[in-house]
Amino acid sequence: MKWSDLIKVSVLLSLSGSLFAKNIPDYKDRNKPVEVRVHDLLRRMTLEEKIAELNLVPYYASSDSAVRAQIRQGKIGALLKANGAALNRSLQEEAVGNSRLGIPLIFHEDVIHGYRTLSPIPLAESCSWDTVMVRRSAEAAAREATASGIQLTYAPMVDVSNDPRWGRIMETSGEDAFLGAAMAAARVRGFQGDNLSDGHILAACVKHFIGYAALLGGRDYQNTDFSYRDLKERYLPPFQAAVDAGVSSVMCSYTSYDGEPVTMNRRINTDLLREEMQFKGLYMSDWTTLGHAVTEGASRDGRESSRRAMESGLDMDMSSGQYARWLRELVLAGEIDSSLIDRAAARALTLKFTTGLFDDPYKYFDVRKEKKITGSREIRQTVLDMALESMVLLKNDSSVLPLSGTEKIALAGPFTDMKADLMGSWTMKGQAGEVVSVWEGFCGKMPRGQLIHAGCAWDGVTPEYIAGLEEQVREADVVLACIGEYAFHIGEATTTGRLQIPEEQIQMLRALKATGKPVIAVLFNGRPLVLDQVLASCDALLEAWYPGTLGGTAVASLLLGETSPSGKLTQTFPRHAGQVPVAYNFRRSFARIEHADLEKGPQFPFGFGLSYTTFAYGRPETDRTEYAQGDTVCVKVRVRNTGRMAAREVVQLYVRDEVATVIPREKELKGFASVFLQPGESREVLFRLPWESFRIWNNRMEHVLEPGVFTLQTGGDSERVQSVQISFR
């Protein structure tokens, strides 16, 4: 062939390619903006196809054929509970191969504190006060989940609670809205990264909007009754932080606001979430919530609840099937404008485009990638680091800790060999066999001959076991008592009235204490507990929470002094369940009345945590004493390590408004920072508080800075503080 002929062929191929490119629908053109692609796809879709995008359906192996049939019929837009690269690829092939427009599925899952390799429960993670580490933990969870075929997680949960009777308190970041907001933003950024189309990134879904934790008596699912002021001051800040961090989706609460279920509450779903908070993403119901409205008597039937939910601004129906059943009929009857369906479908489709599913429907379904990433050394190291920072040292009489590693140690109690319960609740694909128990953690760090196994099964703390403990631990220099509440005592749909470990474990502790040997208790739990009897029967107490897959390694590392505990409580621990609800930041009263039959104050205050070293705080100083609106208040405090071990200290800053048009709170957390100091080293910690930190919701519900005096407090917890006063004019 001549060169001239080759050139002609090349030109023809080029022209045909250009013509072909012009015929590509906009929604398939990855070079077009997402908004353009969504608009183009919507105009090609039937009403039924749009409604399918709003139908989120659970997958179970037992319903596989039925789900696949629905997928082929184009009736499902998203799946939850389908896990694994191979399975989800096969389901995606059903959708793409049988869809008129090639619309892919998106896969959701409850990736709460890890996917297969589990980090500590979220309440524990918050006790690190380390947003960088919390973000890394979320990144690790995202890597495992996306490798296993998941694109969206129902996390973070950012509800604020001060009632440890509620089983889901383990999913929160504690009782404080400011700290909760910081943790919410960290988790969203960890899950979502910088680019949602990155194959290692999960879309986050912040929950439960809003006020779910305002439950009476800690009873899950009970409808709530709280003020608009509570909504603004306590419950809203972490959600706003998640929205500001770019969260992709929001899940509504099971409960109600002002008597109306949130599922169909326009004041919450549109006026607040969409207009005031400026959330632009996908808004979905919780599990079968549209059906709950009928059961509760707030709606006649699914037809009414579907109409009211859609009109309120709820985009996606999780699991109830009510949208799939009623929306078409409501549109054809003229009871719902079709534009509402378009708007909701656009938000669902936008998420599929931004996660890259339209450009490569199978990018998340690589079995080789799944095997390489899940349980990798890098991810295990991340969850170990998280566990080390999450644990809180609550007692250390006579500096019995850290252990030297030369002692003969007896490990006793039901959590000595426990694996499954160390994962806590919402364990997803966590494997008990991959969990490092406390016994295994010590065996990995000490000669076997220095360890005595005196543990028992979870139901093995019998009178016979307790009676035999003295003989079992006779040769030990120190006893490690592994105690706690079992994981089935926490989580969703779980409420407890007593906040104590089982009585038989208390009896076990007393028997160990009676031997005269030093007793170190390690506590595994998912909520603040009443610990008076535990504290009376041990020389040291480490709050380990439910620490996840590498929990036993972290416990051994901390007790042996490889690093110092540095966690600080994000929940106040009561002395008695009768003190609940309990928190550090209640509003002030003209007379502080304590329970007449109890010691005053909490057992452990918010922000409390011991170390293997000691820290001395100087008095805080400010750059001036008087400020105006728009100013930044600079607060500095010098912290010195006065002990013998290098350690991290969490420095806390609180603000007390002395006089306001509404009753001020005792104090409120407004800043925190970590500082790592060598023995004898001191460092100045600087906080920059924008003037907005001093605003309140006044007696007219205006968010304003009221002139007056403020007391700034710095210290190692909410009670051990030193103060300086400033004023705003």
Side-chain angles (χ1 to χ4, degrees):
M1 183 178 291
K2 299 180 181 178
W3 277 108
S4 57
D5 294 331
L6 285 172
I7 292 172
K8 289 177 182 177
V9 171
S10 177
V11 169
L12 288 172
L13 288 173
S14 177
L15 288 172
S16 63
S18 299
L19 291 171
F20 178 74
K22 290 180 180 179
N23 291 326
I24 295 177
D26 282 350
Y27 80 91
K28 290 187 176 181
D29 188 347
R30 66 179 64 200
N31 296 314
K32 292 283 175 47
V34 168
E35 296 82 1
V36 172
R37 300 178 73 180
V38 170
H39 176 74
D40 180 62
L41 181 56
L42 277 174
R43 71 182 181 84
R44 300 170 186 272
M45 295 172 69
T46 65
L47 175 62
E48 291 77 11
E49 287 169 334
K50 294 171 185 176
I51 292 172
E53 291 303 305
L54 315 181
N55 188 28
L56 171 58
V57 175
Y59 171 89
Y60 301 107
S62 59
S63 62
D64 180 83
S65 59
V67 169
R68 289 179 186 273
Q70 284 186 287
I71 293 171
R72 288 192 293 271
Q73 293 164 16
K75 294 182 177 181
I76 297 176
L79 286 176
L80 70 158
K81 300 302 174 189
N83 289 271
L87 171 65
N88 289 5
R89 181 183 178 93
S90 73
L91 293 167
Q92 189 73 293
E93 288 171 346
E94 298 274 14
V96 175
N98 292 281
S99 168
R100 183 177 66 89
L101 296 169
I103 299 175
L105 296 168
I106 186 169
F107 294 83
H108 301 190
E109 190 49 276
D110 288 289
V111 186
I112 307 301
H113 57 110
Y115 184 77
R116 177 162 175 166
T117 310
L118 296 179
S119 278
I121 58 173
L123 179 58
E125 286 195 350
S126 72
C127 291
S128 71
W129 298 61
D130 187 342
T131 55
V132 174
M133 191 67 245
V134 168
R135 177 171 178 167
R136 284 182 55 203
S137 175
E139 288 172 349
R143 288 182 66 83
E144 282 199 338
T146 52
S148 301
I150 305 300
Q151 295 88 56
L152 183 145
T153 173
Y154 302 141
M157 174 175 164
V158 301
D159 299 300
V160 175
S161 176
N162 54 22
D163 193 335
R165 294 171 297 184
W166 183 41
R168 298 195 77 170
I169 201 168
M170 56 78 61
E171 294 178 60
T172 75
S173 290
E175 70 191 49
D176 184 78
F178 179 85
L179 181 65
M183 293 297 166
R187 290 193 173 103
V188 168
R189 293 184 176 117
F191 285 130
Q192 296 193 167
D194 299 321
N195 181 3
L196 272 179
S197 64
D198 183 331
H200 298 295
I201 296 302
L202 270 178
C205 177
V206 67
K207 61 185 186 184
H208 306 85
F209 197 72
I210 192 169
Y212 178 32
L215 299 157
L216 299 177
R219 293 186 291 271
D220 210 358
Y221 304 153
Q222 298 303 298
N223 276 296
T224 54
D225 188 9
F226 59 95
S227 69
Y228 187 60
R229 178 174 299 280
D230 283 336
L231 185 152
K232 288 287 192 174
E233 291 181 352
R234 295 192 63 217
Y235 302 123
L236 192 60
F239 283 96
Q240 187 66 67
V243 171
D244 293 345
V247 73
S248 296
S249 59
V250 175
M251 184 187 297
C252 79
S253 171
Y254 278 122
T255 52
S256 62
Y257 178 73
D258 199 23
E260 184 177 23
V262 173
T263 316
M264 53 187 62
N265 193 314
R266 182 176 174 83
R267 183 181 179 190
I268 295 297
N269 300 342
T270 293
D271 297 350
L272 178 61
L273 181 62
R274 297 295 186 184
E275 296 177 5
E276 184 176 332
M277 297 176 66
Q278 291 294 294
F279 174 64
K280 306 296 184 185
L282 178 69
Y283 187 39
M284 69 179 73
S285 78
D286 205 335
W287 186 270
T288 65
T289 317
L290 291 178
H292 297 166
V294 179
T295 304
E296 293 170 338
S299 176
R300 287 187 300 273
D301 52 28
R303 193 177 196 276
E304 180 188 347
S305 64
S306 296
R307 175 182 59 78
R308 290 170 61 189
M310 180 56 63
E311 290 176 340
S312 78
L314 188 75
D315 300 320
M316 181 173 280
D317 170 22
M318 181 193 294
S319 187
S320 79
Q322 298 301 315
Y323 273 7
R325 170 67 179 84
W326 296 108
L327 286 185
R328 181 178 182 277
E329 180 177 320
L330 287 165
V331 171
L332 295 178
E335 296 180 46
I336 285 182
D337 193 291
S338 62
S339 64
L340 298 181
I341 309 297
D342 286 357
R343 182 182 65 184
R347 291 168 180 156
L349 291 168
T350 295
L351 190 53
K352 291 183 178 181
F353 277 109
T354 54
T355 53
L357 285 167
F358 272 93
D359 298 328
D360 182 358
Y362 306 111
K363 67 184 296 183
Y364 294 93
F365 313 120
D366 185 333
V367 174
R368 290 173 300 178
K369 177 181 173 182
E370 181 180 30
K371 290 180 179 178
K372 179 180 178 181
I373 290 177
T374 53
S376 68
R377 181 180 299 178
E378 177 186 1
I379 288 174
R380 290 175 67 86
Q381 184 63 52
T382 297
V383 302
L384 173 60
D385 292 343
M386 187 75 258
L388 288 168
E389 287 199 4
S390 299
M391 296 181 185
V392 185
L393 184 62
L394 297 178
K395 181 179 181 179
N396 192 19
D397 284 359
S398 303
S399 297
V400 64
L401 291 174
L403 300 171
S404 67
T406 61
E407 305 94 339
K408 194 157 193 175
I409 305 171
L411 281 73
F415 281 83
T416 298
D417 293 311
M418 188 72 74
K419 287 176 174 280
D421 282 52
L422 264 60
M423 296 187 290
S425 184
W426 295 111
T427 57
M428 263 318 300
K429 294 300 176 181
Q431 305 292 310
E434 296 174 3
V435 174
V436 179
S437 69
V438 179
W439 174 256
E440 290 171 339
F442 272 89
C443 287
K445 294 182 179 294
M446 293 181 63
R448 179 65 178 80
Q450 288 179 233
L451 299 172
I452 299 171
H453 191 292
C456 62
W458 73 269
D459 59 350
V461 190
T462 62
E464 294 76 18
Y465 170 75
I466 295 171
L469 277 176
E470 182 177 6
E471 179 62 29
Q472 287 197 70
V473 305
R474 184 182 300 278
E475 301 300 320
D477 299 311
V478 62
V479 179
L480 185 63
C482 303
I483 60 175
E485 62 173 351
Y486 304 111
F488 59 79
H489 287 156
I490 67 165
E492 187 170 350
T494 304
T495 299
T496 56
R498 294 188 301 173
L499 301 174
Q500 297 169 310
I501 65 171
E503 177 61 28
E504 61 268 21
Q505 293 187 40
I506 297 295
Q507 298 299 326
M508 181 195 76
L509 273 176
R510 289 173 179 161
L512 292 172
K513 185 66 174 174
T515 66
K517 300 178 185 295
V519 177
I520 299 164
V522 181
L523 180 65
F524 298 93
N525 55 303
R527 73 181 91 218
L529 295 176
V530 174
L531 298 173
D532 55 337
Q533 296 183 79
V534 173
L535 292 165
S537 299
C538 69
D539 299 281
L541 176 59
L542 179 69
E543 171 59 90
W545 305 107
Y546 293 122
T549 304
L550 275 295
T553 303
V555 168
S557 178
L558 289 173
L559 296 187
L560 291 169
E562 293 179 358
T563 187
S564 174
S566 61
K568 302 271 190 172
L569 297 178
T570 57
Q571 292 278 174
T572 303
F573 273 46
R575 294 184 184 276
H576 189 279
Q579 291 178 308
V580 174
V582 59
Y584 84 94
N585 58 354
F586 285 139
R587 296 193 191 280
R588 301 204 283 275
S589 173
F590 66 89
R592 185 168 180 172
I593 306 300
E594 300 279 0
H595 295 85
D597 56 345
L598 299 175
E599 290 187 51
K600 294 182 180 179
Q603 187 73 67
F604 296 109
F606 177 85
F608 178 84
L610 300 175
S611 172
Y612 291 156
T613 192
T614 53
F615 296 95
Y617 281 74
R619 189 168 296 279
E621 300 176 2
T622 57
D623 55 333
R624 332 199 274 276
T625 58
E626 188 173 299
Y627 299 85
Q629 182 166 310
D631 290 344
T632 295
V633 178
C634 294
V635 187
K636 60 182 180 181
V637 58
R638 183 162 290 278
V639 184
R640 179 182 296 276
N641 183 341
T642 55
R644 299 180 178 179
M645 184 173 182
R648 181 178 75 108
E649 171 71 344
V650 178
V651 184
Q652 300 159 44
L653 172 62
Y654 298 88
V655 172
R656 175 184 170 95
D657 192 346
E658 294 299 335
V659 179
T661 55
V662 295
I663 299 173
R665 297 184 183 276
E666 289 289 348
K667 62 184 68 175
E668 293 184 87
L669 182 72
K670 293 296 181 181
F672 59 92
S674 292
V675 57
F676 188 88
L677 298 174
Q678 298 294 328
E681 182 184 5
S682 69
R683 191 173 303 171
E684 189 173 85
V685 179
L686 176 64
F687 295 97
R688 298 181 185 274
L689 294 184
W691 69 270
E692 290 91 345
S693 299
F694 300 88
R695 290 189 298 179
I696 65 166
W697 290 95
N698 69 7
N699 58 340
R700 298 179 179 179
M701 283 308 296
E702 301 163 329
H703 204 202
V704 297
L705 171 59
E706 294 185 341
V709 175
F710 296 84
T711 300
L712 308 181
Q713 304 174 339
T714 55
D717 62 53
S718 59
E719 291 189 355
R720 297 178 300 154
V721 294
Q722 298 190 64
S723 305
V724 63
Q725 284 193 332
I726 64 168
S727 62
F728 272 89
R729 61 179 184 272

PDB file of all heavy atoms in Angstrom, residues 10 58 187 240 307 338 396 424 520 611 637 723:
ATOM      1  N   SER A  10      -6.067   6.458   7.241  1.00  0.00           N
ATOM      2  CA  SER A  10      -5.943   7.047   8.577  1.00  0.00           C
ATOM      3  C   SER A  10      -6.935   8.169   8.784  1.00  0.00           C
ATOM      4  O   SER A  10      -7.577   8.283   9.833  1.00  0.00           O
ATOM      5  CB  SER A  10      -4.509   7.555   8.780  1.00  0.00           C
ATOM      6  OG  SER A  10      -4.379   8.187  10.020  1.00  0.00           O
ATOM      7  N   PRO A  58     -32.056  -5.519  50.621  1.00  0.00           N
ATOM      8  CA  PRO A  58     -31.054  -6.386  51.253  1.00  0.00           C
ATOM      9  C   PRO A  58     -30.871  -7.677  50.464  1.00  0.00           C
ATOM     10  O   PRO A  58     -31.824  -8.209  49.896  1.00  0.00           O
ATOM     11  CB  PRO A  58     -31.649  -6.663  52.636  1.00  0.00           C
ATOM     12  CG  PRO A  58     -33.120  -6.540  52.437  1.00  0.00           C
ATOM     13  CD  PRO A  58     -33.318  -5.492  51.376  1.00  0.00           C
ATOM     14  N   ARG A 187     -13.555  10.928  60.185  1.00  0.00           N
ATOM     15  CA  ARG A 187     -14.003   9.656  59.612  1.00  0.00           C
ATOM     16  C   ARG A 187     -14.500   9.839  58.183  1.00  0.00           C
ATOM     17  O   ARG A 187     -14.247   8.993  57.317  1.00  0.00           O
ATOM     18  CB  ARG A 187     -15.083   9.030  60.498  1.00  0.00           C
ATOM     19  CG  ARG A 187     -14.533   8.516  61.822  1.00  0.00           C
ATOM     20  CD  ARG A 187     -15.528   7.614  62.544  1.00  0.00           C
ATOM     21  NE  ARG A 187     -14.907   7.011  63.719  1.00  0.00           N
ATOM     22  CZ  ARG A 187     -15.101   7.400  64.974  1.00  0.00           C
ATOM     23  NH1 ARG A 187     -15.926   8.402  65.221  1.00  0.00           N
ATOM     24  NH2 ARG A 187     -14.491   6.804  65.967  1.00  0.00           N
ATOM     25  N   GLN A 240     -23.260  18.721  60.946  1.00  0.00           N
ATOM     26  CA  GLN A 240     -22.795  19.833  60.123  1.00  0.00           C
ATOM     27  C   GLN A 240     -21.333  19.656  59.750  1.00  0.00           C
ATOM     28  O   GLN A 240     -20.918  19.945  58.623  1.00  0.00           O
ATOM     29  CB  GLN A 240     -22.997  21.158  60.857  1.00  0.00           C
ATOM     30  CG  GLN A 240     -22.699  22.383  59.992  1.00  0.00           C
ATOM     31  CD  GLN A 240     -23.668  22.545  58.843  1.00  0.00           C
ATOM     32  OE1 GLN A 240     -24.854  22.811  59.044  1.00  0.00           O
ATOM     33  NE2 GLN A 240     -23.174  22.378  57.616  1.00  0.00           N
ATOM     34  N   ARG A 307     -45.743   8.799  50.224  1.00  0.00           N
ATOM     35  CA  ARG A 307     -46.017  10.156  49.731  1.00  0.00           C
ATOM     36  C   ARG A 307     -45.401  11.211  50.644  1.00  0.00           C
ATOM     37  O   ARG A 307     -44.702  12.125  50.180  1.00  0.00           O
ATOM     38  CB  ARG A 307     -47.523  10.380  49.624  1.00  0.00           C
ATOM     39  CG  ARG A 307     -47.906  11.819  49.218  1.00  0.00           C
ATOM     40  CD  ARG A 307     -49.406  12.018  49.167  1.00  0.00           C
ATOM     41  NE  ARG A 307     -50.055  11.743  50.441  1.00  0.00           N
ATOM     42  CZ  ARG A 307     -50.061  12.599  51.477  1.00  0.00           C
ATOM     43  NH1 ARG A 307     -49.432  13.760  51.399  1.00  0.00           N
ATOM     44  NH2 ARG A 307     -50.692  12.268  52.591  1.00  0.00           N
ATOM     45  N   SER A 338     -43.913  14.357  39.442  1.00  0.00           N
ATOM     46  CA  SER A 338     -42.820  13.512  38.939  1.00  0.00           C
ATOM     47  C   SER A 338     -41.453  14.168  39.113  1.00  0.00           C
ATOM     48  O   SER A 338     -40.428  13.477  39.125  1.00  0.00           O
ATOM     49  CB  SER A 338     -43.046  13.174  37.465  1.00  0.00           C
ATOM     50  OG  SER A 338     -43.054  14.354  36.679  1.00  0.00           O
ATOM     51  N   ASN A 396      -3.790   3.106  88.854  1.00  0.00           N
ATOM     52  CA  ASN A 396      -2.445   2.539  88.863  1.00  0.00           C
ATOM     53  C   ASN A 396      -1.803   2.795  90.225  1.00  0.00           C
ATOM     54  O   ASN A 396      -0.842   3.546  90.348  1.00  0.00           O
ATOM     55  CB  ASN A 396      -1.591   3.137  87.738  1.00  0.00           C
ATOM     56  CG  ASN A 396      -0.297   2.379  87.526  1.00  0.00           C
ATOM     57  OD1 ASN A 396      -0.158   1.226  87.939  1.00  0.00           O
ATOM     58  ND2 ASN A 396       0.684   3.021  86.898  1.00  0.00           N
ATOM     59  N   GLY A 424     -16.408  -6.674  69.595  1.00  0.00           N
ATOM     60  CA  GLY A 424     -17.542  -5.831  69.922  1.00  0.00           C
ATOM     61  C   GLY A 424     -18.731  -6.092  69.018  1.00  0.00           C
ATOM     62  O   GLY A 424     -18.949  -7.198  68.528  1.00  0.00           O
ATOM     63  N   ILE A 520      -4.054  -6.729  88.423  1.00  0.00           N
ATOM     64  CA  ILE A 520      -4.256  -5.772  87.335  1.00  0.00           C
ATOM     65  C   ILE A 520      -5.496  -6.214  86.574  1.00  0.00           C
ATOM     66  O   ILE A 520      -5.543  -7.336  86.057  1.00  0.00           O
ATOM     67  CB  ILE A 520      -3.042  -5.736  86.391  1.00  0.00           C
ATOM     68  CG1 ILE A 520      -1.788  -5.304  87.157  1.00  0.00           C
ATOM     69  CG2 ILE A 520      -3.307  -4.807  85.209  1.00  0.00           C
ATOM     70  CD1 ILE A 520      -0.505  -5.606  86.422  1.00  0.00           C
ATOM     71  N   SER A 611      -1.396   8.059  82.909  1.00  0.00           N
ATOM     72  CA  SER A 611      -0.246   7.725  82.088  1.00  0.00           C
ATOM     73  C   SER A 611       0.786   7.040  82.973  1.00  0.00           C
ATOM     74  O   SER A 611       0.654   7.016  84.201  1.00  0.00           O
ATOM     75  CB  SER A 611       0.329   9.004  81.470  1.00  0.00           C
ATOM     76  OG  SER A 611       1.547   8.750  80.806  1.00  0.00           O
ATOM     77  N   VAL A 637      -0.362  27.356  76.768  1.00  0.00           N
ATOM     78  CA  VAL A 637      -0.132  26.714  78.058  1.00  0.00           C
ATOM     79  C   VAL A 637       1.106  25.835  77.926  1.00  0.00           C
ATOM     80  O   VAL A 637       1.305  25.168  76.905  1.00  0.00           O
ATOM     81  CB  VAL A 637      -1.358  25.880  78.494  1.00  0.00           C
ATOM     82  CG1 VAL A 637      -1.702  24.813  77.465  1.00  0.00           C
ATOM     83  CG2 VAL A 637      -1.133  25.258  79.863  1.00  0.00           C
ATOM     84  N   SER A 723      -7.132  28.253  85.106  1.00  0.00           N
ATOM     85  CA  SER A 723      -8.008  29.177  84.392  1.00  0.00           C
ATOM     86  C   SER A 723      -7.379  30.540  84.156  1.00  0.00           C
ATOM     87  O   SER A 723      -6.464  30.965  84.872  1.00  0.00           O
ATOM     88  CB  SER A 723      -9.309  29.371  85.179  1.00  0.00           C
ATOM     89  OG  SER A 723      -9.927  28.143  85.452  1.00  0.00           O
TER      90      SER A 723
END
